[in-house]
Amino acid sequence: MKGMVVKTMGAVLLMSLAGCQTAYYGAMEKIGIDKRDILVDRVEDVRDSQKDSQEEFQTAYQRLVVLTDFDGGDYEDIYNDLNGDYQNSKAAAERVSKKIDNVEEVANDLFDEWEDELDQYTNSKLRRASEDKLNATKRQFSQMLRSMHQAESKMAPVLATLNDNVLYLKHNLNAAAVSAIKGEFASLRTDISGLINEMSEAIKESDEFIATLQQ
């Protein structure tokens, strides 16, 4: 009985969310903004969040370069700076993930609507042209989304390693601690550099997809 109640509540929640989304689309269409415009806006949001995240990870990378050559100073300042880099990078990564989810949601709704509208055509030539455009847009979207997720997947392990180093320094604020994890710093720098490159590729894919939708 309890399981049935949970399932019923879940179904009601999904219907409520779907209703809210439909109402949102309806309200936007009344002011001349359709799903295509919303998708462009959300892809731009992901792209901008990726750029922000890139900057945060780049700051962390530069900090690690400095720490690798560290030779004395205030160890508490080292910890505070690196912890700040970690917290900022983590927050930026979370924003990217949330915005990617938003992109997937509106893209699925747009493609569903587009497919449904194919049945409304009476002109077979125009229908084929629209279907070809839909399929091409889907392929490009899938490629962009794959690039987004590839960059996203590299953020978690980088953040985990960065957090390990931050935690180690937190309880070992001395020269020996810094020296002990310098090897980790070098490896982490390589990982961050790779992540930044992946994000650059994802940003490029986003720009190309936006340009396609705006044609």
Side-chain angles (χ1 to χ4, degrees), residues 38-56:
I38 297 170
L39 179 56
V40 168
D41 185 60
R42 291 191 181 181
V43 172
E44 288 176 340
D45 281 348
V46 173
R47 179 199 61 194
D48 293 344
S49 294
Q50 287 172 327
K51 288 180 178 179
D52 291 342
S53 187
Q54 256 190 329
E55 291 176 5
E56 296 296 349

Side-chain angles (χ1 to χ4, degrees), residues 4 50 94 125 158 163 187 203:
M4 185 179 296
Q50 287 172 327
E94 289 171 350
K125 182 178 179 181
V158 168
N163 188 43
S187 176
I203 290 167

Side-chain angles (χ1 to χ4, degrees), residues 1 11 24 30 36 59 67 73 77 85 103 107 134-135 140 156 162-163 170 174 176 181-182 195 197 210:
M1 183 68 177
Y24 168 70
K30 286 181 179 178
R36 181 183 296 266
T59 298
L67 291 179
D77 284 346
D85 293 336
V103 162
L134 169 60
N135 291 333
Q140 187 175 5
L162 188 56
N163 188 43
K170 181 178 181 180
N174 52 56
I181 57 178
K182 277 188 177 181
L195 169 60
N197 290 336
I210 290 168

